[in-house]
Amino acid sequence: HVQHLKFTKNWRAAEHPEYVEFLENVGNGEMLTVQVPQDRVVSDVDQMIDTVYGHHFATGYQILALTLETCAVVNKACLERLPGDVVECPSADTYEDCADPDQFPHEYIESLQIPGAPLFKLHLKIGARYMCIRNIDMQRGLINGTMLQLLQIGQRFLQFRIMNGSGAGSVEIIMKNV
């Protein structure tokens, strides 16, 4: 039941050919330096957050970072600006094909920081935005890369507003693994 799709046009490239050419020149090493406009230079993370989001985080802009460590610093600073308490939500890890799970206690597994994988505990705050990093339900628009704004934290569920994609504007509930 899989339908193969072939992409034939890069819409982003078609809409911004100058930017694509710029990226190709940087990537190919044809530009050794890049002049950043002075009005785009900030001195610290807090100034960057102010510049990109203002005081209400309601813009459609995103801060991109080159490393997960930088993302963690920016995410922590953004969460601290939102009112309310942080709720820690642990992951629901299971052992797969592990001959001797006693060799790997849960405390050890929970302490690992694997590159590209989320941390054991997700820090949640009402009003914060999160990116869905797996395909949960394509029909509802809950797919990898979808931006979600947290509206409510229940004992067994999380309620989000979908910010982009096919489900933009809808409110969805995701059940927690308890």
Side-chain angles (χ1 to χ4, degrees):
H1 303 305
V2 175
Q3 180 182 3
H4 288 271
L5 301 174
K6 183 177 181 179
F7 293 106
T8 58
K9 185 172 185 174
N10 183 331
W11 289 98
R12 187 172 291 162
E15 292 178 13
H16 306 286
E18 309 83 25
Y19 186 64
V20 171
E21 182 181 356
F22 165 74
L23 289 178
E24 286 177 355
N25 290 337
V26 170
N28 292 332
E30 295 169 17
M31 293 182 72
L32 299 179
T33 61
V34 176
Q35 187 65 34
V36 177
Q38 199 57 38
D39 66 337
R40 301 290 188 245
V41 176
V42 295
S43 60
D44 58 27
V45 171
D46 286 323
Q47 188 181 4
M48 178 177 57
I49 293 169
D50 287 340
T51 302
V52 174
Y53 296 126
H55 299 289
H56 47 75
F57 294 103
T59 68
Y61 298 110
Q62 299 295 320
I63 295 175
L64 302 178
L66 296 176
T67 67
L68 292 174
E69 292 80 15
T70 304
C71 287
V73 168
V74 172
N75 288 342
K76 185 175 187 273
C78 288
L79 277 181
E80 288 172 353
R81 289 172 171 235
L82 290 172
D85 296 325
V86 171
V87 175
E88 288 186 344
C89 186
S91 68
D93 295 324
T94 58
Y95 291 106
E96 296 289 328
D97 301 326
C98 184
D100 189 7
D102 291 334
Q103 272 190 319
F104 307 99
H106 278 286
E107 295 79 22
Y108 170 71
I109 300 298
E110 293 167 6
S111 72
L112 296 176
Q113 293 187 14
I114 301 169
L119 298 175
F120 170 72
K121 288 187 179 176
L122 186 61
H123 296 107
L124 302 172
K125 203 176 228 190
I126 302 295
R129 292 188 289 176
Y130 299 88
M131 181 181 286
C132 186
I133 59 169
R134 67 183 184 109
N135 294 330
I136 296 173
D137 188 328
M138 291 181 67
Q139 300 293 51
R140 292 168 44 202
L142 294 169
I143 61 172
N144 187 21
T146 301
M147 292 303 299
L148 307 167
Q149 183 177 29
L150 184 59
L151 301 176
Q152 184 177 358
I153 303 171
Q155 193 169 16
R156 299 184 180 272
F157 70 91
L158 302 172
Q159 183 183 51
F160 291 96
R161 174 177 293 111
I162 298 178
M163 306 296 290
N164 64 332
S166 63
S170 69
V171 174
E172 299 292 340
I173 292 178
I174 299 175
M175 301 305 292
K176 290 185 198 177
N177 291 326
V178 188

